[in-house]
Amino acid sequence: MSKTIAFEIIQKYEPIEEVRKAHQMSLEGFTRYMDSSECLLFKNECRKVYQDMTHPLNDYFISSSHNTYLVSGQLVGPSDLWGYVSALVKGCRCLEIDCWDGAQNEPVVYHGYTLTSKLLFKTVIQAIHKYAFMTSDYPVVLSLENHCSPAQQEVMADNLQTTFGESLLSDMLDDFPDTLPSPEALKFKVLVKNKKIGTLKETRERKGSDKRGDNQDKETGVKKLSGAMLFKKKKVRKLKISLALSDLVIYTKAEKFRNFQHSRLYQQFNENNSIGETQARKLSKLRVHEFIFHTRKFITRIYPKATRADSSNFNPQEFWNIGCQMVALNFQTPGLPMDLQNGKFLDNGGSGYILKPHFLRDSKSDFNPSNIKESMPITLTIRLISGIQLPLSHSSSNKGDTLVIIEVFGVPNDQMKQQTRVIKKNAFSPRWNETFTFIIHVPELALIRFVVESHGLIAGNEFLGQYTLPLLCMNKGYRHVPLLSRMGESLEPASLFVYVWYIR
C-alpha cells in the first residue's frame, strides 16, 4: 500500500483529529476501516460493468428464470406479478411467460393444465415494462410459452407494442445480419422469444402492412400435465401462429432442438433452443464437444424437468461449464442452486450478462470440463479467522455451536469442500484461525461459497447464513465476508473475517 493511499484511508476513517493530523491511525480508526465496504471480500471493480459488452449475445451467460410468474409450487398456488418484479430487481434478463386464451379475448398467464391462478397478459407486460431496466440497462428477453389462438396472439402483439413502444425490438439492427447483435447494441431493448414464420428478410418486407387475421399453421408438440401425478401426454397438433406476433420475433426465434448435426447443417444464427435438464445432462456426458460447439454458435436455454412439482432446482454449474447461456431456474425457491445463480451474477455490475470465458467462445478450443488437458491453476489459500455476530440457531436445544464450510463449484475436478471445527456455545465472536488450501484448475468458472451452520447431533446441522461469489471477484488480504439468509437477504452485521491469498 502506497503512502498516498494510506493517508487517504486515515483521512476517511480516523475519528480523532490529532491522530489524523499526525497521519496516524488509532484502534478505533482501524476498526472503522476494517468494517467498511473497502474491506469486503467482493472486488469493487466487479460491482460495475467492466466486461466487453460488444460481443454477440451468444457469447454471454444470461441470467434467466423459469415460469417466472410462479411464487410457490408448479401445480397449485398463486401466479403473481411479484415473480417478475423480484426477478428483474435481481438482474434477471430472460423471463418466461406461459400464455393461454382467456375470457373476453384477453390472454392470460398461468401454468397450463394445473390449478395455479391466472394473471392477465397485459398486466404482466405492464409490470415488466415498469421494472425492466431498473437494475440493468441490457436487453430483456421475454420467453413466450405460447398456447394462444391467433386472435389472442394478435392481442398479445398489440399489448407488447402499446406497452413497450420504441423499446420493443421489431426489426433487425443491420441490413445483412449473420451474427447476433451485442448487449451494448441492444441496450434498453425488449426482445420477444417465440416461434416465427419465415425469414427476417420477409419480416422486414411486411413492415407497416396490416397483418390482422393473417396466420399460418405450424406442426408442434404440446406437452400436457395431467393432475398432481404429472403424467406426460404428448400430442401433436397444428398451432396457428399470428403473423402480427411472429413478426415481433427477430433475434430470439424459438426452434425445437433435434440434434447437434441438424443444428450444424440447418440452424440459423437467430434461432435458439430450449432443452430440458434431463436431456441436456445426458448430452453433456455423451456429446460434450458437440454441445460446447453448439453453445458457441446458438443461444441455448436449459429448463427444469417437469417432475419438479415443488419448484426445486438443479445445479446450474454443470450447464455453465459447457457454455449454456440461459440456465433457467425457479427464482422463488431458495437453496444452493439459487445461491450459485445469485453469486455468479454479482459479477459485471449485476447486469445479468457475463462474458463467457474465451475457451467457451473460441472455435479452436477443445475444452472439456471433465478432462482438463491444459490449464494454469490457481492456488487459493483462505485463513478463516473469526465470525462476527453470527445468526442464532432456531433450535432451542442449540447454544450456538458454529462451524463454517467453504465450497468450490466449477468443473468436476475443482468441486470440493472443507470445513472448520465446531466452536461451542459462541455465535457472537467464534474464532477458528484455520487455513484451507484449494488448487483450482479452471478459475474462470469457479464459484466460492461460504456456509455457516449450527452443529446438531440429532437433527443434523442447521443453515445460518451463506455468501457465494466468483473466485476471480475475490479481493486478496484481510477481508469481511457478509452473510445472507436462505432467501438472499442481508444478515448484517453478521460476517466472517478471513485472510485470502491466491497465485497463478
Side-chain angles (χ1 to χ4, degrees):
M1 184 183 284
S2 70
K3 277 190 175 182
T4 306
I5 294 172
F7 289 160
E8 285 176 1
I9 290 170
I10 289 168
Q11 288 301 309
K12 192 171 180 180
Y13 296 103
E14 176 51 54
I16 303 169
E17 190 176 352
E18 306 87 73
V19 177
R20 193 166 62 242
K21 283 180 177 176
H23 298 304
Q24 295 176 346
M25 191 172 243
S26 65
L27 179 60
E28 172 65 23
F30 183 69
T31 303
R32 287 186 180 195
Y33 169 62
M34 292 304 295
D35 284 341
S36 75
S37 61
E38 291 185 49
C39 289
L40 287 172
L41 182 62
F42 190 71
K43 282 182 180 176
N44 269 334
E45 307 93 89
C46 296
R47 293 181 187 278
K48 58 181 183 291
V49 175
Y50 67 93
Q51 296 177 346
D52 184 350
M53 302 304 281
T54 62
H55 287 255
L57 280 181
N58 48 295
D59 278 357
Y60 296 84
F61 294 120
I62 303 169
S63 179
S64 305
S65 66
H66 174 249
N67 288 351
T68 318
Y69 50 90
L70 294 179
V71 290
S72 57
Q74 304 282 312
L75 297 176
V76 294
S79 301
D80 201 297
L81 295 177
W82 176 247
Y84 291 98
V85 173
S86 61
L88 287 166
V89 167
K90 288 177 184 172
C92 184
R93 298 286 89 190
C94 179
L95 310 168
E96 188 176 22
I97 311 176
D98 280 19
C99 312
W100 299 81
D101 281 355
Q104 298 174 322
N105 209 32
E106 285 285 358
V108 292
V109 175
Y110 83 112
H111 200 195
Y113 307 108
T114 70
L115 300 176
T116 56
S117 62
K118 298 174 182 177
L119 300 169
L120 287 178
F121 178 79
K122 66 181 179 185
T123 60
V124 166
I125 295 304
Q126 287 161 3
I128 292 171
H129 176 249
K130 186 174 180 181
Y131 290 90
F133 303 106
M134 197 166 278
T135 298
S136 170
D137 299 348
Y138 293 102
V140 171
V141 178
L142 305 183
S143 182
L144 303 184
E145 193 70 34
N146 186 5
H147 306 274
C148 289
S149 63
Q152 297 213 12
Q153 288 180 47
E154 289 182 358
V155 175
M156 289 166 61
D158 284 344
N159 290 158
L160 289 163
Q161 288 171 313
T162 304
T163 304
F164 291 116
E166 290 297 311
S167 297
L168 185 69
L169 188 80
S170 56
D171 194 9
M172 295 175 284
L173 298 185
D174 305 304
D175 288 332
F176 305 102
D178 57 357
T179 58
L180 291 173
S182 67
E184 191 66 31
L186 292 168
K187 262 187 169 180
F188 301 109
K189 289 292 184 184
V190 174
L191 282 63
V192 176
K193 179 173 171 289
N194 190 63
K195 290 183 170 63
K196 180 177 180 64
I197 302 162
T199 65
L200 287 172
K201 186 182 176 187
E202 289 167 344
T203 297
R204 177 166 278 186
E205 287 168 355
R206 283 192 294 266
K207 196 163 179 67
S209 64
D210 184 8
K211 302 162 193 173
R212 288 184 175 276
D214 206 347
N215 58 76
Q216 291 188 22
D217 291 342
K218 187 175 179 78
E219 290 285 335
T220 185
V222 178
K223 285 182 183 176
K224 290 195 175 186
L225 299 179
S226 175
M229 293 303 291
L230 273 151
F231 294 119
K232 280 191 283 185
K233 191 176 176 183
K234 199 168 185 183
K235 180 182 174 184
V236 177
R237 66 176 173 87
K238 281 192 172 182
L239 175 70
K240 288 182 183 281
I241 297 182
S242 151
L243 267 185
L245 184 60
S246 170
D247 281 0
L248 297 180
V249 178
I250 307 298
Y251 295 119
T252 43
K253 176 184 177 183
E255 189 64 28
K256 182 177 173 59
F257 176 75
R258 291 173 175 83
N259 55 60
F260 294 128
Q261 184 183 9
H262 183 276
S263 293
R264 270 200 311 276
L265 293 172
Y266 304 110
Q267 192 160 336
Q268 301 299 304
F269 78 97
N270 67 322
E271 295 177 341
N272 48 70
N273 311 119
S274 287
I275 308 175
E277 63 165 296
T278 305
Q279 183 187 11
R281 193 171 290 118
K282 187 177 178 182
L283 289 169
S284 71
K285 288 179 171 61
L286 300 176
R287 300 272 188 271
V288 64
H289 286 295
E290 290 177 88
F291 209 148
I292 293 173
F293 180 84
H294 182 83
T295 60
R296 284 192 189 113
K297 293 183 69 177
F298 308 114
I299 292 177
T300 305
R301 179 177 174 271
I302 310 298
Y303 60 91
K305 58 188 176 185
T307 51
R308 292 185 181 274
D310 60 349
S311 294
S312 61
N313 284 311
F314 53 81
N315 183 336
Q317 187 70 48
E318 60 182 315
F319 301 116
W320 290 328
N321 286 346
I322 53 174
C324 296
Q325 294 86 348
M326 295 179 170
V327 182
L329 298 182
N330 293 300
F331 269 47
Q332 76 272 28
T333 307
L336 170 63
M338 275 307 297
D339 291 345
L340 298 181
Q341 157 75 24
N342 292 335
K344 186 173 188 69
F345 285 98
L346 281 175
D347 198 2
N348 205 29
S351 64
Y353 284 83
I354 295 172
L355 186 63
K356 294 199 288 185
H358 66 93
F359 50 80
L360 289 173
R361 295 183 275 120
D362 182 4
S363 59
K364 296 188 181 83
S365 168
D366 63 349
F367 176 75
N368 178 349
S370 299
N371 183 17
I372 306 299
K373 293 174 183 172
E374 295 178 24
S375 72
M376 294 177 64
I378 277 182
T379 301
L380 170 67
T381 301
I382 298 175
R383 181 151 67 95
L384 191 63
I385 300 168
S386 61
I388 300 156
Q389 296 186 49
L390 301 181
L392 291 172
S393 165
H394 291 100
S395 169
S396 58
S397 62
N398 196 290
K399 305 297 183 188
D401 299 343
T402 53
L403 68 140
V404 177
I405 300 167
I406 303 174
E407 299 174 287
V408 180
F409 293 87
V411 299
N413 206 30
D414 288 343
Q415 302 265 144
M416 64 193 97
K417 68 163 72 172
Q418 298 188 46
Q419 75 175 56
T420 65
R421 70 188 187 279
V422 177
I423 301 292
K424 296 281 189 180
K425 298 181 181 178
N426 184 359
F428 187 76
S429 57
R431 293 187 182 184
W432 288 280
N433 274 317
E434 294 183 51
T435 301
F436 304 96
T437 300
F438 304 89
I439 307 295
I440 299 173
H441 297 86
V442 188
E444 295 88 348
L445 290 170
L447 297 171
I448 311 298
R449 183 172 184 250
F450 297 83
V451 186
V452 181
E453 292 184 350
S454 176
H455 182 62
L457 288 173
I458 300 170
N461 291 357
E462 181 185 338
F463 172 92
L464 297 180
Q466 70 84 34
Y467 187 70
T468 306
L469 77 168
L471 166 62
L472 297 181
C473 288
M474 288 174 70
N475 272 315
K476 295 177 181 178
Y478 289 98
R479 301 289 166 181
H480 275 278
V481 183
L483 292 177
L484 306 176
S485 72
R486 191 175 290 280
M487 296 302 295
E489 295 153 344
S490 171
L491 292 171
E492 197 177 9
S495 64
L496 300 173
F497 188 46
V498 298
Y499 179 80
V500 174
W501 189 254
Y502 52 87
I503 53 172
R504 194 169 195 172

Short mmCIF file of all heavy atoms in Angstrom, two decimals, residues 231-275:
data_model
loop_
_atom_site.label_atom_id
_atom_site.label_comp_id
_atom_site.label_asym_id
_atom_site.label_seq_id
_atom_site.Cartn_x
_atom_site.Cartn_y
_atom_site.Cartn_z
N PHE A 231 -48.30 -37.00 -15.13
CA PHE A 231 -48.11 -37.88 -16.27
C PHE A 231 -47.99 -37.03 -17.53
O PHE A 231 -48.81 -36.16 -17.77
CB PHE A 231 -49.29 -38.86 -16.41
CG PHE A 231 -49.39 -39.84 -15.29
CD1 PHE A 231 -50.51 -39.88 -14.47
CD2 PHE A 231 -48.34 -40.71 -15.03
CE1 PHE A 231 -50.59 -40.78 -13.42
CE2 PHE A 231 -48.42 -41.61 -13.98
CZ PHE A 231 -49.54 -41.65 -13.18
N LYS A 232 -46.97 -37.33 -18.37
CA LYS A 232 -46.78 -36.55 -19.58
C LYS A 232 -47.54 -37.17 -20.74
O LYS A 232 -47.48 -38.36 -20.98
CB LYS A 232 -45.29 -36.47 -19.93
CG LYS A 232 -44.55 -35.46 -19.12
CD LYS A 232 -43.16 -35.22 -19.64
CE LYS A 232 -42.25 -36.35 -19.24
NZ LYS A 232 -40.86 -36.09 -19.63
N LYS A 233 -48.22 -36.34 -21.45
CA LYS A 233 -49.01 -36.81 -22.60
C LYS A 233 -48.65 -35.91 -23.77
O LYS A 233 -48.88 -34.72 -23.74
CB LYS A 233 -50.49 -36.68 -22.25
CG LYS A 233 -51.42 -37.36 -23.24
CD LYS A 233 -52.82 -37.23 -22.69
CE LYS A 233 -53.83 -37.81 -23.66
NZ LYS A 233 -55.19 -37.61 -23.17
N LYS A 234 -48.01 -36.48 -24.77
CA LYS A 234 -47.56 -35.67 -25.89
C LYS A 234 -48.56 -35.78 -27.03
O LYS A 234 -48.94 -36.86 -27.44
CB LYS A 234 -46.18 -36.14 -26.35
CG LYS A 234 -45.47 -35.10 -27.18
CD LYS A 234 -44.03 -35.47 -27.35
CE LYS A 234 -43.30 -34.36 -28.08
NZ LYS A 234 -41.92 -34.67 -28.32
N LYS A 235 -48.96 -34.65 -27.51
CA LYS A 235 -49.97 -34.61 -28.56
C LYS A 235 -49.47 -33.68 -29.65
O LYS A 235 -49.06 -32.57 -29.40
CB LYS A 235 -51.28 -34.09 -27.96
CG LYS A 235 -52.42 -34.00 -28.95
CD LYS A 235 -53.62 -33.42 -28.22
CE LYS A 235 -54.75 -33.18 -29.20
NZ LYS A 235 -55.90 -32.54 -28.55
N VAL A 236 -49.49 -34.17 -30.87
CA VAL A 236 -49.06 -33.34 -31.99
C VAL A 236 -50.27 -32.71 -32.63
O VAL A 236 -51.23 -33.38 -32.98
CB VAL A 236 -48.27 -34.16 -33.03
CG1 VAL A 236 -47.90 -33.30 -34.23
CG2 VAL A 236 -47.02 -34.75 -32.40
N ARG A 237 -50.25 -31.39 -32.72
CA ARG A 237 -51.36 -30.70 -33.37
C ARG A 237 -50.81 -29.52 -34.13
O ARG A 237 -49.65 -29.17 -34.00
CB ARG A 237 -52.39 -30.24 -32.35
CG ARG A 237 -51.90 -29.17 -31.39
CD ARG A 237 -53.01 -28.72 -30.48
NE ARG A 237 -52.56 -27.82 -29.44
CZ ARG A 237 -52.47 -26.51 -29.57
NH1 ARG A 237 -52.75 -25.94 -30.71
NH2 ARG A 237 -52.09 -25.77 -28.55
N LYS A 238 -51.63 -28.93 -34.94
CA LYS A 238 -51.19 -27.77 -35.69
C LYS A 238 -51.47 -26.51 -34.89
O LYS A 238 -52.60 -26.26 -34.50
CB LYS A 238 -51.91 -27.71 -37.04
CG LYS A 238 -51.31 -28.66 -38.07
CD LYS A 238 -51.85 -28.36 -39.46
CE LYS A 238 -51.11 -29.17 -40.51
NZ LYS A 238 -51.59 -28.86 -41.87
N LEU A 239 -50.40 -25.76 -34.64
CA LEU A 239 -50.56 -24.50 -33.93
C LEU A 239 -50.57 -23.38 -34.96
O LEU A 239 -49.66 -23.27 -35.78
CB LEU A 239 -49.39 -24.29 -32.96
CG LEU A 239 -49.36 -22.96 -32.23
CD1 LEU A 239 -50.49 -22.88 -31.21
CD2 LEU A 239 -48.03 -22.75 -31.53
N LYS A 240 -51.60 -22.59 -34.93
CA LYS A 240 -51.65 -21.45 -35.85
C LYS A 240 -50.91 -20.28 -35.23
O LYS A 240 -51.16 -19.92 -34.08
CB LYS A 240 -53.11 -21.09 -36.13
CG LYS A 240 -53.84 -22.09 -37.01
CD LYS A 240 -55.26 -21.63 -37.27
CE LYS A 240 -56.03 -22.65 -38.09
NZ LYS A 240 -55.69 -22.57 -39.51
N ILE A 241 -50.00 -19.71 -35.98
CA ILE A 241 -49.20 -18.59 -35.49
C ILE A 241 -49.63 -17.31 -36.18
O ILE A 241 -49.72 -17.24 -37.40
CB ILE A 241 -47.70 -18.85 -35.73
CG1 ILE A 241 -47.24 -20.07 -34.94
CG2 ILE A 241 -46.87 -17.64 -35.32
CD1 ILE A 241 -45.78 -20.38 -35.07
N SER A 242 -49.90 -16.30 -35.37
CA SER A 242 -50.28 -14.99 -35.90
C SER A 242 -49.06 -14.28 -36.47
O SER A 242 -48.02 -14.21 -35.81
CB SER A 242 -50.90 -14.16 -34.76
OG SER A 242 -50.70 -12.80 -34.97
N LEU A 243 -49.19 -13.76 -37.66
CA LEU A 243 -48.09 -13.01 -38.27
C LEU A 243 -47.73 -11.77 -37.45
O LEU A 243 -46.57 -11.38 -37.36
CB LEU A 243 -48.46 -12.57 -39.69
CG LEU A 243 -48.05 -13.48 -40.85
CD1 LEU A 243 -48.40 -12.83 -42.17
CD2 LEU A 243 -46.56 -13.80 -40.80
N ALA A 244 -48.76 -11.17 -36.84
CA ALA A 244 -48.52 -9.96 -36.03
C ALA A 244 -47.55 -10.24 -34.89
O ALA A 244 -46.65 -9.43 -34.60
CB ALA A 244 -49.84 -9.43 -35.49
N LEU A 245 -47.71 -11.40 -34.23
CA LEU A 245 -46.80 -11.77 -33.14
C LEU A 245 -45.49 -12.31 -33.70
O LEU A 245 -44.41 -11.97 -33.21
CB LEU A 245 -47.46 -12.81 -32.22
CG LEU A 245 -46.66 -13.22 -30.98
CD1 LEU A 245 -46.39 -12.02 -30.08
CD2 LEU A 245 -47.38 -14.30 -30.19
N SER A 246 -45.59 -13.13 -34.72
CA SER A 246 -44.39 -13.72 -35.34
C SER A 246 -43.40 -12.65 -35.78
O SER A 246 -42.19 -12.80 -35.61
CB SER A 246 -44.80 -14.57 -36.54
OG SER A 246 -43.68 -14.96 -37.29
N ASP A 247 -43.90 -11.55 -36.32
CA ASP A 247 -43.01 -10.51 -36.84
C ASP A 247 -42.33 -9.68 -35.76
O ASP A 247 -41.45 -8.87 -36.05
CB ASP A 247 -43.77 -9.60 -37.82
CG ASP A 247 -43.92 -10.23 -39.19
OD1 ASP A 247 -43.43 -11.38 -39.38
OD2 ASP A 247 -44.53 -9.61 -40.08
N LEU A 248 -42.74 -9.90 -34.50
CA LEU A 248 -42.04 -9.24 -33.38
C LEU A 248 -40.84 -10.07 -32.91
O LEU A 248 -40.09 -9.64 -32.03
CB LEU A 248 -43.01 -9.02 -32.21
CG LEU A 248 -44.19 -8.09 -32.47
CD1 LEU A 248 -45.05 -7.96 -31.22
CD2 LEU A 248 -43.72 -6.71 -32.95
N VAL A 249 -40.70 -11.28 -33.48
CA VAL A 249 -39.58 -12.15 -33.13
C VAL A 249 -38.44 -11.88 -34.12
O VAL A 249 -38.60 -12.10 -35.32
CB VAL A 249 -39.99 -13.64 -33.20
CG1 VAL A 249 -38.80 -14.54 -32.89
CG2 VAL A 249 -41.14 -13.91 -32.24
N ILE A 250 -37.32 -11.38 -33.63
CA ILE A 250 -36.22 -11.02 -34.52
C ILE A 250 -34.99 -11.90 -34.25
O ILE A 250 -34.70 -12.80 -35.02
CB ILE A 250 -35.84 -9.52 -34.36
CG1 ILE A 250 -37.10 -8.64 -34.54
CG2 ILE A 250 -34.75 -9.14 -35.38
CD1 ILE A 250 -37.76 -8.72 -35.90
N TYR A 251 -34.31 -11.66 -33.14
CA TYR A 251 -33.06 -12.37 -32.87
C TYR A 251 -33.22 -13.55 -31.92
O TYR A 251 -32.24 -14.20 -31.58
CB TYR A 251 -32.03 -11.39 -32.29
CG TYR A 251 -31.62 -10.32 -33.27
CD1 TYR A 251 -31.83 -8.97 -32.99
CD2 TYR A 251 -31.03 -10.65 -34.49
CE1 TYR A 251 -31.44 -7.98 -33.88
CE2 TYR A 251 -30.65 -9.67 -35.39
CZ TYR A 251 -30.86 -8.34 -35.09
OH TYR A 251 -30.49 -7.37 -35.99
N THR A 252 -34.43 -13.81 -31.47
CA THR A 252 -34.65 -14.89 -30.49
C THR A 252 -35.80 -15.78 -30.96
O THR A 252 -36.86 -15.86 -30.33
CB THR A 252 -34.93 -14.31 -29.09
OG1 THR A 252 -35.84 -13.19 -29.21
CG2 THR A 252 -33.65 -13.83 -28.43
N LYS A 253 -35.59 -16.42 -32.10
CA LYS A 253 -36.59 -17.34 -32.66
C LYS A 253 -36.48 -18.70 -31.98
O LYS A 253 -35.41 -19.32 -31.99
CB LYS A 253 -36.38 -17.49 -34.16
CG LYS A 253 -37.32 -18.50 -34.82
CD LYS A 253 -36.99 -18.69 -36.30
CE LYS A 253 -37.88 -19.75 -36.92
NZ LYS A 253 -37.53 -20.01 -38.34
N ALA A 254 -37.55 -19.15 -31.36
CA ALA A 254 -37.55 -20.45 -30.67
C ALA A 254 -37.64 -21.56 -31.71
O ALA A 254 -38.57 -21.59 -32.52
CB ALA A 254 -38.73 -20.52 -29.70
N GLU A 255 -36.68 -22.44 -31.68
CA GLU A 255 -36.64 -23.56 -32.63
C GLU A 255 -36.42 -24.84 -31.86
O GLU A 255 -35.53 -24.93 -31.02
CB GLU A 255 -35.50 -23.34 -33.64
CG GLU A 255 -35.49 -24.31 -34.80
CD GLU A 255 -36.71 -24.20 -35.71
OE1 GLU A 255 -37.29 -23.09 -35.79
OE2 GLU A 255 -37.07 -25.21 -36.34
N LYS A 256 -37.24 -25.86 -32.16
CA LYS A 256 -37.14 -27.14 -31.46
C LYS A 256 -35.77 -27.77 -31.72
O LYS A 256 -35.30 -27.82 -32.84
CB LYS A 256 -38.24 -28.09 -31.93
CG LYS A 256 -38.25 -29.44 -31.21
CD LYS A 256 -39.41 -30.28 -31.70
CE LYS A 256 -39.33 -31.70 -31.12
NZ LYS A 256 -39.36 -31.72 -29.66
N PHE A 257 -35.12 -28.24 -30.64
CA PHE A 257 -33.82 -28.90 -30.78
C PHE A 257 -34.03 -30.34 -31.25
O PHE A 257 -34.79 -31.10 -30.66
CB PHE A 257 -33.07 -28.89 -29.45
CG PHE A 257 -31.77 -29.64 -29.50
CD1 PHE A 257 -30.67 -29.09 -30.14
CD2 PHE A 257 -31.66 -30.90 -28.95
CE1 PHE A 257 -29.46 -29.79 -30.21
CE2 PHE A 257 -30.45 -31.61 -29.00
CZ PHE A 257 -29.36 -31.04 -29.64
N ARG A 258 -33.35 -30.70 -32.35
CA ARG A 258 -33.43 -32.07 -32.85
C ARG A 258 -32.16 -32.84 -32.46
O ARG A 258 -32.21 -33.78 -31.69
CB ARG A 258 -33.63 -32.06 -34.36
CG ARG A 258 -35.01 -31.55 -34.77
CD ARG A 258 -35.12 -31.39 -36.29
NE ARG A 258 -36.48 -31.01 -36.68
CZ ARG A 258 -36.94 -29.77 -36.68
NH1 ARG A 258 -36.17 -28.77 -36.26
NH2 ARG A 258 -38.18 -29.49 -37.05
N ASN A 259 -31.04 -32.42 -33.02
CA ASN A 259 -29.75 -33.00 -32.66
C ASN A 259 -28.66 -32.02 -33.12
O ASN A 259 -28.93 -31.07 -33.85
CB ASN A 259 -29.55 -34.39 -33.25
CG ASN A 259 -29.72 -34.40 -34.76
OD1 ASN A 259 -28.99 -33.71 -35.48
ND2 ASN A 259 -30.69 -35.17 -35.25
N PHE A 260 -27.44 -32.26 -32.68
CA PHE A 260 -26.36 -31.32 -32.98
C PHE A 260 -26.01 -31.29 -34.47
O PHE A 260 -25.67 -30.24 -35.00
CB PHE A 260 -25.11 -31.66 -32.15
CG PHE A 260 -25.31 -31.46 -30.67
CD1 PHE A 260 -25.02 -32.47 -29.76
CD2 PHE A 260 -25.79 -30.26 -30.18
CE1 PHE A 260 -25.18 -32.28 -28.39
CE2 PHE A 260 -25.96 -30.05 -28.81
CZ PHE A 260 -25.67 -31.07 -27.92
N GLN A 261 -26.12 -32.43 -35.12
CA GLN A 261 -25.82 -32.47 -36.56
C GLN A 261 -26.82 -31.61 -37.35
O GLN A 261 -26.43 -30.84 -38.22
CB GLN A 261 -25.84 -33.91 -37.07
CG GLN A 261 -25.43 -34.01 -38.54
CD GLN A 261 -25.53 -35.44 -39.07
OE1 GLN A 261 -26.04 -36.32 -38.41
NE2 GLN A 261 -25.03 -35.65 -40.28
N HIS A 262 -28.09 -31.74 -37.00
CA HIS A 262 -29.13 -30.95 -37.67
C HIS A 262 -28.87 -29.46 -37.45
O HIS A 262 -29.00 -28.64 -38.38
CB HIS A 262 -30.51 -31.34 -37.13
CG HIS A 262 -31.64 -30.62 -37.81
ND1 HIS A 262 -32.04 -29.36 -37.43
CD2 HIS A 262 -32.42 -30.97 -38.86
CE1 HIS A 262 -33.04 -28.97 -38.21
NE2 HIS A 262 -33.29 -29.93 -39.08
N SER A 263 -28.50 -29.09 -36.23
CA SER A 263 -28.23 -27.67 -35.92
C SER A 263 -27.04 -27.16 -36.74
O SER A 263 -27.07 -26.04 -37.26
CB SER A 263 -27.94 -27.50 -34.43
OG SER A 263 -29.10 -27.77 -33.68
N ARG A 264 -25.98 -27.98 -36.83
CA ARG A 264 -24.80 -27.57 -37.60
C ARG A 264 -25.16 -27.30 -39.06
O ARG A 264 -24.66 -26.37 -39.68
CB ARG A 264 -23.73 -28.66 -37.55
CG ARG A 264 -22.75 -28.53 -36.41
CD ARG A 264 -21.46 -29.30 -36.65
NE ARG A 264 -21.67 -30.68 -37.06
CZ ARG A 264 -21.88 -31.70 -36.24
NH1 ARG A 264 -21.96 -31.47 -34.94
NH2 ARG A 264 -22.03 -32.91 -36.68
N LEU A 265 -26.05 -28.11 -39.61
CA LEU A 265 -26.38 -28.00 -41.03
C LEU A 265 -27.43 -26.93 -41.33
O LEU A 265 -27.35 -26.24 -42.34
CB LEU A 265 -26.88 -29.36 -41.55
CG LEU A 265 -25.83 -30.48 -41.59
CD1 LEU A 265 -26.50 -31.81 -41.94
CD2 LEU A 265 -24.73 -30.16 -42.59
N TYR A 266 -28.42 -26.81 -40.44
CA TYR A 266 -29.60 -26.02 -40.81
C TYR A 266 -29.93 -24.84 -39.89
O TYR A 266 -30.66 -23.94 -40.29
CB TYR A 266 -30.84 -26.93 -40.89
CG TYR A 266 -30.67 -28.08 -41.84
CD1 TYR A 266 -30.56 -29.39 -41.37
CD2 TYR A 266 -30.61 -27.87 -43.21
CE1 TYR A 266 -30.41 -30.46 -42.25
CE2 TYR A 266 -30.46 -28.92 -44.10
CZ TYR A 266 -30.35 -30.22 -43.61
OH TYR A 266 -30.19 -31.25 -44.48
N GLN A 267 -29.46 -24.85 -38.65
CA GLN A 267 -29.91 -23.82 -37.71
C GLN A 267 -29.35 -22.45 -38.08
O GLN A 267 -28.17 -22.30 -38.40
CB GLN A 267 -29.51 -24.18 -36.27
CG GLN A 267 -30.20 -23.31 -35.23
CD GLN A 267 -30.21 -23.95 -33.84
OE1 GLN A 267 -30.13 -25.16 -33.71
NE2 GLN A 267 -30.32 -23.14 -32.81
N GLN A 268 -30.23 -21.44 -38.04
CA GLN A 268 -29.86 -20.07 -38.38
C GLN A 268 -29.35 -19.34 -37.14
O GLN A 268 -29.69 -19.69 -36.01
CB GLN A 268 -31.06 -19.33 -38.97
CG GLN A 268 -31.62 -19.97 -40.23
CD GLN A 268 -30.59 -20.03 -41.35
OE1 GLN A 268 -30.04 -19.00 -41.74
NE2 GLN A 268 -30.32 -21.23 -41.85
N PHE A 269 -28.56 -18.30 -37.35
CA PHE A 269 -27.90 -17.58 -36.25
C PHE A 269 -28.90 -17.03 -35.23
O PHE A 269 -28.59 -16.88 -34.05
CB PHE A 269 -27.03 -16.44 -36.80
CG PHE A 269 -27.80 -15.22 -37.21
CD1 PHE A 269 -27.93 -14.14 -36.35
CD2 PHE A 269 -28.45 -15.16 -38.45
CE1 PHE A 269 -28.66 -13.02 -36.71
CE2 PHE A 269 -29.17 -14.04 -38.82
CZ PHE A 269 -29.28 -12.96 -37.96
N ASN A 270 -30.14 -16.70 -35.68
CA ASN A 270 -31.12 -16.08 -34.78
C ASN A 270 -32.06 -17.10 -34.15
O ASN A 270 -33.02 -16.73 -33.48
CB ASN A 270 -31.94 -15.03 -35.53
CG ASN A 270 -32.84 -15.63 -36.60
OD1 ASN A 270 -32.45 -16.58 -37.29
ND2 ASN A 270 -34.04 -15.09 -36.76
N GLU A 271 -31.79 -18.38 -34.35
CA GLU A 271 -32.63 -19.44 -33.77
C GLU A 271 -31.97 -19.98 -32.51
O GLU A 271 -30.76 -20.19 -32.48
CB GLU A 271 -32.83 -20.57 -34.79
CG GLU A 271 -33.62 -20.12 -36.01
CD GLU A 271 -33.76 -21.21 -37.07
OE1 GLU A 271 -32.97 -22.18 -37.05
OE2 GLU A 271 -34.67 -21.07 -37.91
N ASN A 272 -32.79 -20.16 -31.48
CA ASN A 272 -32.25 -20.72 -30.24
C ASN A 272 -33.10 -21.87 -29.76
O ASN A 272 -34.25 -22.01 -30.14
CB ASN A 272 -32.10 -19.64 -29.17
CG ASN A 272 -33.33 -18.80 -29.04
OD1 ASN A 272 -34.36 -19.28 -28.56
ND2 ASN A 272 -33.27 -17.54 -29.45
N ASN A 273 -32.49 -22.71 -28.90
CA ASN A 273 -33.16 -23.94 -28.44
C ASN A 273 -33.38 -23.92 -26.94
O ASN A 273 -32.60 -23.34 -26.20
CB ASN A 273 -32.29 -25.16 -28.77
CG ASN A 273 -31.80 -25.19 -30.20
OD1 ASN A 273 -30.60 -25.18 -30.43
ND2 ASN A 273 -32.70 -25.21 -31.16
N SER A 274 -34.46 -24.57 -26.53
CA SER A 274 -34.69 -24.86 -25.11
C SER A 274 -34.59 -26.37 -24.93
O SER A 274 -35.26 -27.13 -25.64
CB SER A 274 -36.06 -24.37 -24.66
OG SER A 274 -36.09 -22.97 -24.56
N ILE A 275 -33.75 -26.81 -23.99
CA ILE A 275 -33.53 -28.23 -23.75
C ILE A 275 -33.76 -28.51 -22.27
O ILE A 275 -33.24 -27.80 -21.40
CB ILE A 275 -32.09 -28.65 -24.14
CG1 ILE A 275 -31.75 -28.19 -25.56
CG2 ILE A 275 -31.91 -30.15 -24.01
CD1 ILE A 275 -30.31 -28.45 -25.98
#
